[in-house]
Amino acid sequence: MEHLLALQNLHVSYHTPRGTVQAVRGVDLTLDSGEVLAVVGESGCGKSALLKAIMRLLPENASVTGRIVVNGTDIAPYPEKQLQKLRGSLFSMVFQDPMTALNPSMTIGSQIAEAIVVHEPKISKEALRARVLELMELVEIDRPMERMKLYPHNFSGGMRQRAVMAIALAARAKILLADEPTTALDVTIQAQILDLLRNLQKKLHTATILVSHDLGVVARAADRVAVMYAGKIVEIGTAEEVYYDPRHPYTWALLRALPALATGGDALYTIPGMPPTLIDPPKGDAFACRNEYALAIDYEKEPPLLRVTDTHYAATWLLDPRAPRITPPIGVRRHGI
Ligand SMILES: Nc1ncnc2c1ncn2[C@@H]1O[C@H](COP(=O)(O)OP(=O)(O)OP(=O)(O)O)[C@@H](O)[C@H]1O
Ligand SMILES: [Mg+2]
């Protein structure tokens, strides 16, 4: 089957006076119509770089190699003009902070209208108004007739994020790229926004890449989960596989560090150390020096993504038949997301 989106050996580098930051180091990913793929990992592991490479919203000091295949066509070599058309109609991005994504001096209604007009310049006034209302209803903003006349500062954080989603949906994009869309919100509102994302998915059949540093947050929305570390995908599988049968020690560590797991009486676990600098990534498995289950080979040779099932892969030598049998730590085995 042809995928809606396939990333092949994607690399993103930032060239800085201190050296080249290898933010994304050879990522392969596919995304199908109607699915939510979560990309999860600690700060600095390259999640935003990955999304920005797809949207081609990278700064001047960045370079990208690899293929970005949309419905069978590699769009990586497309010039900016051609890409501009794709942004919006094919891809749409929802950023972390709705306040910076919205214009404080324009009403919510006119900002949604503006986004519609960009893609449907010939739309009539009546049709435009109807579409604004339709989008506001779609993102479950109550009393849209009243609220379209309000300004961003009149909206709560969760409402603003809904408005940002309405703007992102205005062009009927096939792929929604959401970078930490709920991080700025409190826990209850986070859950509501993720449920909304899920509902939109069902209604519109959009495909979504949902980026988060929190495995717990994306659990309620993701069909599949890709765990990223130091610019690479270290584990990928269906949500069920990653949450209930995780295989990579980094995924174990992320799961153990979830607050929900600490309620059993454990002191809250934090992953020791820090992710490596991506200017000069370590030899072997980049997680080895923080991994209590590291094998000697991890310091020498990088593990490839090894197959667990047809949908589940993890880059750890623990999956090699010669590796010792290791049971995941307690917090991971009895988690209940
Ligand atoms: N404009 C830039 N110039 C140089 N290096 C950058 C730039 N933007 C990001 N980086 C570096 O690239 C690496 C990946 O950054 P990225 O923002 O993709 O991480 P992230 O996973 O999105 O983290 P976070 O959870 O904090 O958003 C980091 O080492 C970061 O410092
Ligand atoms: Mg980021």
Side-chain angles (χ1 to χ4, degrees), residues 92-168:
S92 210
M93 193 141 176
V94 179
F95 294 97
Q96 176 172 343
D97 181 4
M99 212 47 192
T100 54
L102 294 169
N103 181 341
S105 60
M106 260 172 96
T107 64
I108 297 287
S110 34
Q111 295 189 55
I112 300 174
E114 199 175 50
I116 299 167
V117 171
V118 171
H119 297 278
E120 294 172 60
K122 295 203 181 94
I123 192 167
S124 71
K125 230 177 150 186
E126 297 75 52
L128 180 60
R129 191 183 151 82
R131 178 92 177 114
V132 170
L133 288 172
E134 184 193 326
L135 283 166
M136 290 180 79
E137 275 160 19
L138 196 63
V139 297
E140 295 162 23
I141 295 179
D142 291 339
R143 291 182 280 129
M145 293 274 238
E146 255 168 70
R147 290 209 164 112
M148 66 195 284
K149 298 187 195 104
L150 299 180
Y151 290 86
H153 68 262
N154 303 123
F155 271 41
S156 65
M159 271 318 208
R160 272 186 239 145
Q161 197 53 295
R162 284 172 196 272
V164 167
M165 281 166 74
I167 291 168

Side-chain angles (χ1 to χ4, degrees), residues 3 14 20 25 40 108 110 168 281 286 289 314 320:
H3 299 289
Y14 292 106
T20 298
R25 304 188 294 145
V40 180
I108 297 287
S110 34
C289 60
D320 189 284

Side-chain angles (χ1 to χ4, degrees), residues 47-48 179-180 211:
K47 306 179 298 291
S48 296
D179 196 351
E180 307 263 8
V211 159

Side-chain angles (χ1 to χ4, degrees), residues 14 16 21 23 41-50 59 61 180 213 278:
Y14 292 106
T16 75
V21 182
E42 283 164 292
S43 184
C45 68
K47 306 179 298 291
S48 296
L50 183 76
N61 68 333
E180 307 263 8
H213 61 272
L278 295 173

